[in-house]
Amino acid sequence: MRRRALSKISPALSAYTIFCKEKGYGVGGDAGAAWKQVSQQQKEVYATRAARDKIRYKQEMAEREQLLRDLEDEDKRIAIEEEDKEARQQLAKVEAKRTAAALKRAEKLANAGKPKKDRRSAKQIKLTEYNKSVKSTIEGRKERRNLYLTEHANALRTFVGDQILNKLDKSKISKSSKSSKSKTSASSSSSSSTSSSSSSSPLPTSGDIPAKSQSHDVPSHITETPSFIKTGKLRDYQIEGVNWLIEMHRRGTNAILADEMGLGKTLQTITFLSYLKYHDKIEGPSLIVVPLSVLTAWCKEFKKWCPTMNVLQFHSSDQDERERIRQKLLRTPLSVDVVVTTYDMMTSNNMNYALSKQIYWRYVVMDEGHKIKNELSGVSQQMARVRSEGRLILTGTPLQNNLHELWALLRYLETDVFEESDVFDGKYFKQWIYYLF
């Protein structure tokens, strides 16, 4: 490249060429006739000038040859330096691998004979403690959910039947009795009698539920765009949607946000997750699973609306890059607020275990959630294995073909409530067929 950039050397000119250029003659018979008219003395002057130009040409050619030799020597020197640098880098990699292997052997020898829990690294211990804290939070969330669902037993009965409702009611009573046992002995006996009388009473009907419990009004947790949302403002219906998501979280129930396409489900989700972090001070990563076509768009939306959230894009066709991202997530899970991945990664044999078993997520958000409309599909079963505190489905079409698909979404949200589809299908699926035909 440097050789091509060198300027061209003008060739040596003859006496006749110098004469033609000086007199302005082009190529033709006029120049030859004029040259014959030039005196011998004048021709000698032109010959002297041509001799000097020839000397100039030889000097420039010699300088150019020397410059080319210098450039060639420099290229050789640079190539040798690059080879030495590459060799040193390879040697450093080998030494690093040897050092890591030696440390691993030393750690293995040091941990020999110790129980498995004592052989964990500090980062593994931190991840285990985090997972335990989320598990305990899940238990409290289930208590709130069971309380809310049993208060609305009459509305839920047509979806799941009395057997599930009795199970939820017993779970609520069991939790309340356990909490009462931790109080004083006098208070314990009093609450025990209350629990026994409660267990003997039937589940409430719509007429028995107090007016306050029947209300589904959503409190205004936020009345305007929060300060952690930058760039723009939420519309009124988006604020209402975020309030609804926050209230579902307070009640311990998972949800489907089914706004039509283009109404800002992404922004409402970003605001909701940011609210949990900055207002409720909830630490830990959430997982958002999206189609590959909108992966980059989700990350850009986070950067636009809430740039302070630490977002990790978990998708790559390169195996080494995927492993690097996985190790980064598992080493410091609390340093990441949101992991955005794809359905391809969720069903990948190499990545599904890390995403579903090695960490408890705060929330799992599914964009285009109707992908799990068939509870027997591979995607649906894999998403059901992911462990999290809460679940949120985003879809503009929660119902596509039949009502059983809606049950499949509900089953994903509350697996222990929507265990069997018999009651739901018997109530609604037959009516659906009747109205169709």
Side-chain angles (χ1 to χ4, degrees):
M1 183 62 70
R2 291 186 297 173
R3 291 173 176 79
R4 294 180 181 178
L6 296 175
S7 61
K8 294 183 178 180
I9 297 176
S10 301
L13 303 176
S14 65
Y16 174 72
T17 306
I18 295 174
F19 167 76
C20 291
K21 283 191 173 183
E22 187 177 274
K23 299 301 181 180
Y25 290 112
V27 178
D30 293 342
W35 175 251
K36 289 180 181 180
Q37 299 295 328
V38 176
S39 64
Q40 186 62 32
Q41 183 179 3
Q42 190 66 28
K43 286 183 179 180
E44 290 178 358
V45 173
Y46 283 116
T48 302
R49 292 172 61 182
R52 287 199 298 268
D53 191 61
K54 187 175 182 180
I55 294 172
R56 184 270 314 165
Y57 174 74
K58 288 182 178 180
Q59 289 177 345
E60 289 184 0
M61 286 297 294
E63 292 173 356
R64 177 61 53 86
E65 290 176 358
Q66 182 61 42
L67 178 60
L68 292 175
R69 286 193 294 269
D70 293 342
L71 290 176
E72 185 177 359
D73 293 340
E74 185 177 357
D75 290 343
K76 290 180 179 179
R77 178 179 57 79
I78 292 174
I80 293 173
E81 291 178 353
E82 290 293 333
E83 290 178 358
D84 292 342
K85 182 179 179 180
E86 185 177 354
R88 288 194 298 270
Q89 290 177 347
Q90 292 293 335
L91 182 61
K93 289 182 180 179
V94 173
E95 290 297 329
K97 288 182 179 180
R98 289 177 179 174
T99 303
L103 291 174
K104 191 173 182 179
R105 288 194 299 269
E107 184 179 359
K108 187 175 180 179
L109 290 174
N111 291 328
K114 292 183 179 179
K116 185 177 180 179
K117 64 179 182 178
D118 295 336
R119 297 199 299 267
R120 297 175 299 174
S121 64
K123 294 175 181 178
Q124 290 174 328
I125 294 174
K126 186 176 182 180
L127 178 58
T128 302
E129 291 175 350
Y130 164 75
N131 286 340
K132 286 183 179 179
S133 67
V134 178
K135 287 176 68 176
S136 63
T137 305
I138 292 174
E139 293 300 320
R141 180 186 177 93
K142 283 187 176 181
E143 292 181 25
R144 302 196 307 273
R145 183 206 64 179
N146 293 346
L147 177 62
Y148 175 75
L149 293 181
T150 51
E151 287 178 348
H152 300 84
N154 193 61
L156 188 62
R157 181 174 283 106
T158 56
F159 290 90
V160 298
D162 292 334
Q163 184 177 358
I164 296 297
L165 291 176
N166 290 331
K167 180 180 176 181
L168 292 175
D169 191 56
K170 290 178 180 178
S171 175
K172 183 189 73 170
I173 295 171
S174 175
K175 294 295 183 182
S176 62
S177 62
K178 283 183 179 180
S179 61
S180 65
K181 288 180 181 179
S182 62
K183 299 179 182 179
T184 60
S185 56
S187 175
S188 175
S189 60
S190 174
S191 62
S192 175
S193 62
T194 304
S195 298
S196 61
S197 62
S198 172
S199 61
S200 61
S201 61
L203 286 169
T205 63
S206 58
D208 298 328
I209 301 174
K212 183 178 180 181
S213 297
Q214 293 184 34
S215 174
H216 293 273
D217 294 338
V218 177
S220 296
H221 300 282
I222 61 173
T223 57
E224 59 183 7
T225 303
S227 59
F228 46 77
I229 295 298
K230 310 298 181 182
T231 306
K233 293 184 178 182
L234 277 71
R235 299 181 184 275
D236 292 341
Y237 72 87
Q238 292 173 334
I239 292 177
E240 184 178 350
V242 174
N243 280 321
W244 179 76
L245 290 174
I246 296 172
E247 183 62 20
M248 292 298 102
H249 175 74
R250 296 281 190 269
R251 295 171 180 173
T253 54
N254 299 318
I256 301 176
L257 184 58
D259 287 349
E260 293 184 5
M261 185 174 64
L263 295 182
K265 294 190 292 293
T266 301
L267 176 55
Q268 293 177 61
T269 303
I270 292 173
T271 307
F272 170 61
L273 296 179
S274 303
Y275 182 91
L276 296 182
K277 174 179 172 63
Y278 295 111
H279 183 272
D280 290 356
K281 308 301 181 183
I282 296 177
E283 299 293 335
S286 294
L287 177 67
I288 301 179
V289 187
V290 304
L292 179 58
S293 58
V294 296
L295 174 67
T296 305
W298 265 93
C299 297
K300 287 182 178 179
E301 289 297 298
F302 266 102
K303 188 175 181 180
K304 174 183 177 181
W305 293 102
C306 192
T308 54
M309 292 283 279
N310 187 4
V311 179
L312 176 64
Q313 181 174 313
F314 197 108
H315 181 89
S316 176
S317 58
D318 183 71
Q319 184 176 354
D320 294 337
E321 177 66 11
R322 289 199 302 267
E323 180 62 21
R324 184 192 68 80
I325 299 173
R326 187 183 73 86
Q327 291 294 338
K328 177 182 178 180
L329 175 63
L330 295 180
R331 280 197 303 268
T332 54
L334 295 180
S335 67
V336 180
D337 297 318
V338 176
V339 175
V340 184
T341 189
T342 62
Y343 289 100
D344 296 332
M345 289 293 100
M346 293 303 304
T347 55
S348 169
N349 292 331
N350 298 326
M351 291 294 108
N352 58 16
Y353 180 78
L355 293 172
S356 60
K357 296 296 183 183
Q358 290 188 291
I359 187 169
Y360 276 82
W361 306 96
R362 285 299 180 181
Y363 259 86
V364 173
V365 181
M366 291 182 60
D367 193 13
E368 303 293 340
H370 51 266
K371 286 182 176 292
I372 60 169
K373 63 184 179 181
N374 180 4
E375 72 274 15
L376 301 179
S377 65
V379 173
S380 180
Q381 292 182 5
Q382 177 57 34
M383 291 303 303
R385 297 187 188 102
V386 181
R387 302 186 292 189
S388 65
E389 177 184 348
R391 293 176 174 180
L392 173 62
I393 292 178
L394 308 180
T395 176
T397 54
L399 189 62
Q400 289 186 321
N401 300 309
N402 54 62
L403 284 168
H404 183 83
E405 293 178 357
L406 177 59
W407 178 87
L409 302 186
L410 296 174
R411 173 180 171 80
Y412 168 74
L413 293 177
E414 304 292 352
T415 307
D416 58 337
V417 176
F418 297 90
E419 293 181 350
E420 300 293 339
S421 63
D422 297 344
V423 175
F424 186 88
D425 289 344
K427 180 69 176 178
Y428 295 104
F429 187 67
K430 292 180 180 179
Q431 294 182 11
W432 174 273
I433 298 296
Y434 175 79
Y435 287 125
L436 282 179
F437 299 101

